[in-house]
Amino acid sequence: MRLQTKLILLLCSLLAFVTVSLGGIFYVVITTLLDKQIGARALTVAETIAIMPEIRDAFNDPDPSARIQPIAESARAKTGAQYIVIGNREGIRYAHPIPGRIGGRMVGGDNGPVLEGRSIISRATGSMGPSLRGKAPIFDKDGAVIGIVSVGFLTDEIDVIADAYQTEVLTVSCIALIIGAIGSVLIARSVRRSIHGLEPKEIGELYTEKKAILESIREGVIAIDQEGRVTLANRYANRLMHIPDSESVIGRHIEELIPNTGLMEVVRTGMPQSDRELVIGDQEVIANRVPIRDFHDRVTGAVSSFRSKSELYRLAEELSQVKRFAESLRAQTHEFSNKLYVISGLIQLESYQEAIDLISKEADVHQNLIHFIMREIPDPVIGGLIIGKYNHASELRIAFRLDEESSFRDIPAHVDRAHLVTIIGNLVDNAMDAALERHPDQEGEVALFLTDLGEDLIIECEDNGAGISDDLGDSIFRSGFSTKQGEHRGIGLSLVEHAVRKLNGYITYDRSPMGGAHFTAAIPKRKNAAPKEHESHDESGH
């Protein structure tokens, strides 16, 4: 049975139970009030007749019924009572709706309290049948009880009145039941629409799947309602906020957990936000925020996903390294192909000595560079990177020079080589791009200097490009900023600045004597050294 049918049956059953219960209670209340009102009415009539002087005086006549019967019948006709019976202390009737019963004895067995001087309301079966009646004593001038007045309404007549009310109650109850059934159908449809027509089992499966998905993704996910209270947070988000897995953040205000999160702004404006930088504790993250909307397109909350900036940079670094290695291999292959063509041509021209000289020269240049790098830069990752950059520069007809005074042998073990590769590789790439852009038809120049003398690792890279305008300032290190045209620009220097900061160092730039830009990165050798302040250089120098 589908959820909508179950809801309709449940609501209709509940409504029917409530309607029948309320109808029954209402009927009981009405019949009770009706009995009280008729009993009070009968007693009032009885007490009124009992104090009439004509009735009291008639008890002294030889034939009391002659005077009492007309008065009793007149009162019965005016009050609507089924009977008015008047008798003496012995219960002998002086008045009765049926004249033939005058002179007979009153029945019912409830005259005792009245003869004691009290007025009562009782239910009893008299000569007219079961009735609800009011009885009052008749007193003489001395206060003695000389007779009884009994005013009655037959139970059958009372039931007729009660049945009329019962019919009205049933009619109203049926109308309410019909309206409620229609409302139940509408409510069931609304509920089904609000849960997208899903069955309870499907909802449970979706919840389980959602929880598994949230815990499996490598991003923090947190959602809030209109008031800013957290309604959802996965384990990765708790980890970034340094909250134990055993502690729940559901119900806490987002500003209490992440000040200046920006989620409340999304709730207010209803506008999504993409790739926004945010600091959570000691972690820099990249956040995306979108509003949550209901069926009426009203904003009911917001959800944000965020990931550690360092992880994103690590991915970018790995991709950059793969790209650099691929370019280096391609450049080396292309360069050696060209040299082989030249050597092949010289041999075909029988210029054997020139071919031997070219082979020797190329072998000496490469061997000297390789020997120098193996001696002064023994780290294979950094050495391989520099050789690859050298080959790439040769392909681009750029003179790449590694300073002869370079030395990079004393690299502490705690210094992440991946960060050093990011710094050196991106600085050299930017330098080659700048040199090639300014000298497309001439040979560009790029110089690299590495030293481990002193307390810092120093990396200097300069070129003969156009340089950097003074009004740009540190904006060149901002992710996405670039003075070059095209997409996917403005990443290199941002990665460099991030890697330098991770190593507690600093990076500066100034004008190079070669005409272009001169970048200097300083990285402390000592572990956990405090980050150094930026310094500026007016000219190149080692």
Short mmCIF file of all heavy atoms in Angstrom, two decimals, residues 478-515:
data_model
loop_
_atom_site.label_atom_id
_atom_site.label_comp_id
_atom_site.label_asym_id
_atom_site.label_seq_id
_atom_site.Cartn_x
_atom_site.Cartn_y
_atom_site.Cartn_z
N ARG A 478 48.35 36.93 -6.26
CA ARG A 478 46.97 36.55 -6.04
C ARG A 478 46.54 35.54 -7.09
O ARG A 478 46.85 35.68 -8.28
CB ARG A 478 46.06 37.77 -6.11
CG ARG A 478 44.64 37.49 -5.63
CD ARG A 478 43.79 38.74 -5.58
NE ARG A 478 43.52 39.27 -6.90
CZ ARG A 478 43.94 40.42 -7.35
NH1 ARG A 478 44.66 41.22 -6.58
NH2 ARG A 478 43.64 40.84 -8.57
N SER A 479 45.83 34.50 -6.64
CA SER A 479 45.39 33.45 -7.56
C SER A 479 44.47 34.03 -8.63
O SER A 479 43.52 34.75 -8.33
CB SER A 479 44.67 32.35 -6.78
OG SER A 479 44.21 31.35 -7.64
N GLY A 480 44.79 33.73 -9.89
CA GLY A 480 43.97 34.19 -11.01
C GLY A 480 44.45 35.50 -11.60
O GLY A 480 44.02 35.88 -12.69
N PHE A 481 45.38 36.22 -10.93
CA PHE A 481 45.87 37.49 -11.47
C PHE A 481 46.97 37.22 -12.50
O PHE A 481 47.89 36.43 -12.25
CB PHE A 481 46.42 38.37 -10.35
CG PHE A 481 47.00 39.68 -10.85
CD1 PHE A 481 46.18 40.76 -11.07
CD2 PHE A 481 48.35 39.79 -11.13
CE1 PHE A 481 46.70 41.96 -11.54
CE2 PHE A 481 48.88 40.98 -11.60
CZ PHE A 481 48.06 42.07 -11.81
N SER A 482 46.88 37.87 -13.66
CA SER A 482 47.89 37.72 -14.69
C SER A 482 47.83 38.91 -15.63
O SER A 482 46.77 39.46 -15.90
CB SER A 482 47.68 36.42 -15.47
OG SER A 482 48.63 36.31 -16.52
N THR A 483 49.00 39.31 -16.13
CA THR A 483 49.07 40.39 -17.13
C THR A 483 49.04 39.80 -18.54
O THR A 483 49.06 40.55 -19.51
CB THR A 483 50.35 41.21 -16.94
OG1 THR A 483 51.49 40.32 -17.05
CG2 THR A 483 50.38 41.87 -15.56
N LYS A 484 48.98 38.46 -18.63
CA LYS A 484 48.99 37.80 -19.94
C LYS A 484 47.57 37.47 -20.35
O LYS A 484 46.67 37.34 -19.53
CB LYS A 484 49.82 36.51 -19.88
CG LYS A 484 51.26 36.76 -19.41
CD LYS A 484 51.96 35.46 -19.09
CE LYS A 484 53.33 35.71 -18.45
NZ LYS A 484 53.97 34.46 -18.03
N GLN A 485 47.38 37.33 -21.65
CA GLN A 485 46.07 37.02 -22.19
C GLN A 485 45.85 35.51 -22.19
O GLN A 485 46.79 34.72 -22.23
CB GLN A 485 45.94 37.56 -23.63
CG GLN A 485 46.10 39.08 -23.72
CD GLN A 485 45.00 39.80 -22.96
OE1 GLN A 485 43.85 39.37 -22.96
NE2 GLN A 485 45.36 40.90 -22.30
N GLY A 486 44.57 35.11 -22.18
CA GLY A 486 44.25 33.69 -22.26
C GLY A 486 43.72 33.15 -20.95
O GLY A 486 43.78 33.79 -19.91
N GLU A 487 43.17 31.93 -21.02
CA GLU A 487 42.61 31.28 -19.85
C GLU A 487 43.69 30.53 -19.07
O GLU A 487 44.79 30.31 -19.56
CB GLU A 487 41.50 30.31 -20.26
CG GLU A 487 40.33 30.98 -20.96
CD GLU A 487 39.26 29.99 -21.34
OE1 GLU A 487 39.51 28.77 -21.16
OE2 GLU A 487 38.19 30.40 -21.81
N HIS A 488 43.33 30.15 -17.85
CA HIS A 488 44.19 29.34 -16.98
C HIS A 488 45.51 30.06 -16.71
O HIS A 488 46.58 29.45 -16.67
CB HIS A 488 44.46 27.96 -17.60
CG HIS A 488 43.22 27.25 -18.03
ND1 HIS A 488 42.24 26.87 -17.14
CD2 HIS A 488 42.78 26.88 -19.28
CE1 HIS A 488 41.25 26.27 -17.81
NE2 HIS A 488 41.56 26.28 -19.09
N ARG A 489 45.43 31.36 -16.52
CA ARG A 489 46.60 32.15 -16.17
C ARG A 489 46.52 32.55 -14.70
O ARG A 489 45.50 32.43 -14.05
CB ARG A 489 46.67 33.42 -17.04
CG ARG A 489 46.89 33.13 -18.53
CD ARG A 489 48.30 32.71 -18.81
NE ARG A 489 48.58 32.61 -20.24
CZ ARG A 489 49.77 32.31 -20.75
NH1 ARG A 489 50.78 32.07 -19.93
NH2 ARG A 489 49.93 32.22 -22.05
N GLY A 490 47.65 33.08 -14.18
CA GLY A 490 47.67 33.61 -12.83
C GLY A 490 47.74 32.55 -11.75
O GLY A 490 47.31 32.79 -10.63
N ILE A 491 48.29 31.37 -12.07
CA ILE A 491 48.37 30.28 -11.11
C ILE A 491 49.78 30.12 -10.56
O ILE A 491 49.98 29.86 -9.37
CB ILE A 491 47.90 28.95 -11.74
CG1 ILE A 491 46.47 29.08 -12.26
CG2 ILE A 491 48.00 27.81 -10.73
CD1 ILE A 491 45.46 29.37 -11.18
N GLY A 492 50.79 30.29 -11.44
CA GLY A 492 52.17 29.99 -11.08
C GLY A 492 52.68 30.73 -9.87
O GLY A 492 53.15 30.13 -8.89
N LEU A 493 52.62 32.07 -9.89
CA LEU A 493 53.15 32.85 -8.78
C LEU A 493 52.33 32.65 -7.52
O LEU A 493 52.86 32.74 -6.40
CB LEU A 493 53.19 34.34 -9.15
CG LEU A 493 54.27 34.73 -10.16
CD1 LEU A 493 54.20 36.22 -10.47
CD2 LEU A 493 55.66 34.37 -9.64
N SER A 494 51.03 32.37 -7.67
CA SER A 494 50.21 32.07 -6.50
C SER A 494 50.68 30.79 -5.84
O SER A 494 50.78 30.70 -4.60
CB SER A 494 48.74 31.94 -6.92
OG SER A 494 47.94 31.52 -5.84
N LEU A 495 51.01 29.78 -6.65
CA LEU A 495 51.54 28.54 -6.10
C LEU A 495 52.89 28.76 -5.43
O LEU A 495 53.18 28.19 -4.39
CB LEU A 495 51.67 27.49 -7.20
CG LEU A 495 50.36 26.95 -7.79
CD1 LEU A 495 50.64 26.05 -9.00
CD2 LEU A 495 49.58 26.17 -6.74
N VAL A 496 53.71 29.59 -6.05
CA VAL A 496 55.03 29.90 -5.48
C VAL A 496 54.88 30.55 -4.12
O VAL A 496 55.53 30.15 -3.13
CB VAL A 496 55.84 30.80 -6.43
CG1 VAL A 496 57.11 31.32 -5.74
CG2 VAL A 496 56.21 30.05 -7.69
N GLU A 497 54.03 31.58 -4.05
CA GLU A 497 53.85 32.30 -2.78
C GLU A 497 53.31 31.37 -1.70
O GLU A 497 53.72 31.43 -0.55
CB GLU A 497 52.90 33.47 -3.02
CG GLU A 497 52.85 34.48 -1.88
CD GLU A 497 51.77 34.14 -0.86
OE1 GLU A 497 50.88 33.34 -1.20
OE2 GLU A 497 51.85 34.66 0.27
N HIS A 498 52.36 30.48 -2.09
CA HIS A 498 51.80 29.54 -1.13
C HIS A 498 52.86 28.57 -0.63
O HIS A 498 52.94 28.28 0.58
CB HIS A 498 50.66 28.78 -1.78
CG HIS A 498 50.02 27.77 -0.88
ND1 HIS A 498 49.13 28.11 0.12
CD2 HIS A 498 50.15 26.40 -0.83
CE1 HIS A 498 48.75 27.02 0.75
NE2 HIS A 498 49.35 25.97 0.20
N ALA A 499 53.68 28.04 -1.53
CA ALA A 499 54.73 27.09 -1.14
C ALA A 499 55.76 27.75 -0.24
O ALA A 499 56.21 27.16 0.76
CB ALA A 499 55.39 26.51 -2.38
N VAL A 500 56.15 28.99 -0.57
CA VAL A 500 57.12 29.71 0.26
C VAL A 500 56.56 29.94 1.66
O VAL A 500 57.26 29.78 2.67
CB VAL A 500 57.49 31.05 -0.40
CG1 VAL A 500 58.29 31.94 0.56
CG2 VAL A 500 58.29 30.81 -1.67
N ARG A 501 55.29 30.32 1.74
CA ARG A 501 54.68 30.56 3.03
C ARG A 501 54.59 29.27 3.84
O ARG A 501 54.74 29.29 5.07
CB ARG A 501 53.29 31.17 2.82
CG ARG A 501 52.62 31.70 4.06
CD ARG A 501 51.64 32.83 3.74
NE ARG A 501 50.91 32.60 2.53
CZ ARG A 501 49.78 31.90 2.45
NH1 ARG A 501 49.30 31.34 3.54
NH2 ARG A 501 49.16 31.75 1.30
N LYS A 502 54.32 28.13 3.17
CA LYS A 502 54.28 26.86 3.87
C LYS A 502 55.63 26.50 4.48
O LYS A 502 55.71 25.80 5.50
CB LYS A 502 53.83 25.74 2.91
CG LYS A 502 52.34 25.70 2.65
CD LYS A 502 51.60 25.29 3.92
CE LYS A 502 50.12 25.13 3.67
NZ LYS A 502 49.39 24.76 4.90
N LEU A 503 56.69 26.97 3.86
CA LEU A 503 58.04 26.71 4.37
C LEU A 503 58.53 27.82 5.29
O LEU A 503 59.72 27.88 5.61
CB LEU A 503 59.01 26.53 3.18
CG LEU A 503 58.72 25.33 2.26
CD1 LEU A 503 59.63 25.35 1.05
CD2 LEU A 503 58.86 24.02 3.02
N ASN A 504 57.61 28.72 5.71
CA ASN A 504 57.93 29.83 6.63
C ASN A 504 58.94 30.81 6.04
O ASN A 504 59.70 31.45 6.78
CB ASN A 504 58.44 29.29 7.97
CG ASN A 504 57.39 28.55 8.74
OD1 ASN A 504 56.21 28.88 8.67
ND2 ASN A 504 57.78 27.51 9.46
N GLY A 505 58.96 30.92 4.72
CA GLY A 505 59.89 31.86 4.09
C GLY A 505 59.18 33.08 3.55
O GLY A 505 58.05 33.38 3.94
N TYR A 506 59.85 33.79 2.67
CA TYR A 506 59.26 34.96 2.04
C TYR A 506 59.78 35.05 0.61
O TYR A 506 60.79 34.43 0.24
CB TYR A 506 59.57 36.24 2.81
CG TYR A 506 61.02 36.64 2.77
CD1 TYR A 506 61.52 37.44 1.73
CD2 TYR A 506 61.90 36.24 3.78
CE1 TYR A 506 62.86 37.81 1.70
CE2 TYR A 506 63.23 36.61 3.76
CZ TYR A 506 63.72 37.39 2.71
OH TYR A 506 65.04 37.74 2.67
N ILE A 507 59.10 35.83 -0.21
CA ILE A 507 59.50 36.05 -1.59
C ILE A 507 59.32 37.52 -1.93
O ILE A 507 58.34 38.15 -1.53
CB ILE A 507 58.70 35.16 -2.56
CG1 ILE A 507 59.19 35.36 -4.00
CG2 ILE A 507 57.20 35.43 -2.46
CD1 ILE A 507 58.61 34.34 -4.97
N THR A 508 60.30 38.08 -2.63
CA THR A 508 60.24 39.47 -3.08
C THR A 508 60.61 39.54 -4.56
O THR A 508 61.10 38.55 -5.13
CB THR A 508 61.21 40.36 -2.28
OG1 THR A 508 62.55 39.90 -2.49
CG2 THR A 508 60.89 40.30 -0.79
N TYR A 509 60.38 40.69 -5.14
CA TYR A 509 60.79 40.88 -6.53
C TYR A 509 61.22 42.32 -6.72
O TYR A 509 60.83 43.23 -5.99
CB TYR A 509 59.64 40.54 -7.49
CG TYR A 509 58.49 41.52 -7.44
CD1 TYR A 509 58.45 42.63 -8.28
CD2 TYR A 509 57.44 41.33 -6.54
CE1 TYR A 509 57.39 43.52 -8.22
CE2 TYR A 509 56.39 42.22 -6.48
CZ TYR A 509 56.37 43.31 -7.33
OH TYR A 509 55.34 44.20 -7.27
N ASP A 510 62.10 42.54 -7.74
CA ASP A 510 62.53 43.89 -8.12
C ASP A 510 62.99 43.86 -9.57
O ASP A 510 62.77 42.87 -10.27
CB ASP A 510 63.64 44.39 -7.17
CG ASP A 510 64.76 43.38 -7.02
OD1 ASP A 510 64.99 42.62 -7.99
OD2 ASP A 510 65.38 43.32 -5.94
N ARG A 511 63.62 44.91 -10.00
CA ARG A 511 64.08 45.01 -11.38
C ARG A 511 65.44 44.34 -11.51
O ARG A 511 66.34 44.53 -10.71
CB ARG A 511 64.18 46.47 -11.79
CG ARG A 511 64.77 46.73 -13.16
CD ARG A 511 63.87 46.27 -14.28
NE ARG A 511 62.62 47.03 -14.32
CZ ARG A 511 61.71 46.89 -15.27
NH1 ARG A 511 61.91 45.98 -16.24
NH2 ARG A 511 60.61 47.58 -15.25
N SER A 512 65.61 43.53 -12.54
CA SER A 512 66.88 42.82 -12.79
C SER A 512 67.79 43.66 -13.68
O SER A 512 67.30 44.38 -14.58
CB SER A 512 66.59 41.48 -13.46
OG SER A 512 67.76 40.89 -13.97
N PRO A 513 69.09 43.60 -13.46
CA PRO A 513 70.02 44.27 -14.39
C PRO A 513 69.87 43.76 -15.82
O PRO A 513 70.24 44.47 -16.76
CB PRO A 513 71.39 43.91 -13.82
CG PRO A 513 71.15 43.64 -12.38
CD PRO A 513 69.80 43.00 -12.33
N MET A 514 69.30 42.59 -15.99
CA MET A 514 69.08 42.05 -17.34
C MET A 514 67.89 42.75 -18.02
O MET A 514 67.65 42.54 -19.21
CB MET A 514 68.81 40.55 -17.26
CG MET A 514 69.98 39.75 -16.74
SD MET A 514 69.58 38.03 -16.34
CE MET A 514 69.02 37.43 -17.92
N GLY A 515 67.13 43.55 -17.25
CA GLY A 515 66.03 44.30 -17.82
C GLY A 515 64.66 43.80 -17.41
O GLY A 515 63.67 44.51 -17.55
#
